[in-house]
C-alpha cells in the first residue's frame, strides 16, 4: 500500500469497480467524474495499464495497482462473490437510475448486453 493511501489499512477487505484509473486532469475528472474521462478511463478489462503497458485482465488478473479513489471498502458480512456483480453492472445501472429519480412507484427498464441485466 502506498504512503499516500489513508482510506485503507493492511488487511481491509476492498472491492474494485470497472475503472482502475483516469487522467485526473480533464474537466470530467476535475468534476469528480473519472468515468467520463476525456482521455480514457482505464477499465479493469480490455484497457492498457498506464503503469506497465500490459492489457488489463479483469477477474483473470492476479493483482491490481490503482489509486484508492477507485477502490471501495467491502462491508463486513458481505460475500465477495455476491458483491462482484454490483461493482460493475450494478454501478452501471444504479447511477442513471439515481440521476433520473427512479424509485418507488416508477417503472424502469434496463437494456444492455452482457452483465447489465444481472443487477436486480
Amino acid at each position: 500500500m502506498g504512503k499516500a493511501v489513508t482510506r485503507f489499512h493492511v488487511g481491509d477487505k476492498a472491492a474494485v469497480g470497472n475503472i482502475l484509473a483516469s487522467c485526473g486532469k480533464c474537466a470530467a475528472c476535475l468534476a469528480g467524474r473519472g468515468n467520463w474521462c476525456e482521455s480514457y478511463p482505464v477499465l479493469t478489462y480490455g484497457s492498457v495499464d498506464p503503469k506497465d503497458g500490459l492489457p488489463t485482465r479483469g477477474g483473470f488478473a492476479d493483482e491490481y495497482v490503482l489509486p484508492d479513489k477507485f477502490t471501495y471498502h467491502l462491508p463486513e458480512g458481505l460475500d465477495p462473490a455476491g458483491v462482484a456483480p454490483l461493482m460493475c453492472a450494478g454501478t452501471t445501472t444504479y447511477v442513471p437510475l439515481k440521476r433520473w429519480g427512479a424509485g418507488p412507484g416508477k417503472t424502469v427498464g434496463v437494456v444492455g448486453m452482457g452483465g447489465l441485466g444481472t443487477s436486480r
Side-chain angles (χ1 to χ4, degrees):
M1 196 168 337
K3 294 176 186 174
V5 175
T6 58
R7 295 179 41 235
F8 292 89
H9 299 88
V10 173
D12 285 353
K13 291 184 178 182
V16 177
N18 66 326
I19 299 176
L20 298 175
S22 64
C23 78
K25 299 174 187 171
C26 70
C29 287
L30 294 174
R33 298 190 181 272
N35 55 317
W36 293 349
C37 179
E38 295 167 16
S39 297
Y40 61 90
V42 178
L43 305 178
T44 56
Y45 189 83
S47 288
V48 174
D49 189 317
K51 302 284 186 203
D52 60 18
L54 296 173
T56 56
R57 300 181 58 223
F60 299 103
D62 292 327
E63 63 183 18
Y64 276 113
V65 177
L66 65 150
D68 67 342
K69 71 179 182 178
F70 293 104
T71 310
Y72 307 91
H73 286 278
L74 183 64
E76 285 296 322
L78 291 182
D79 175 28
V83 171
L86 299 175
M87 296 308 300
C88 184
T91 302
T92 301
T93 54
Y94 171 78
V95 172
L97 293 173
K98 182 175 179 175
R99 178 183 174 132
W100 295 104
K106 298 205 176 173
T107 301
V108 299
V110 177
V111 179
M113 296 179 67
L116 296 178
T118 63
S119 298
R120 297 178 190 158

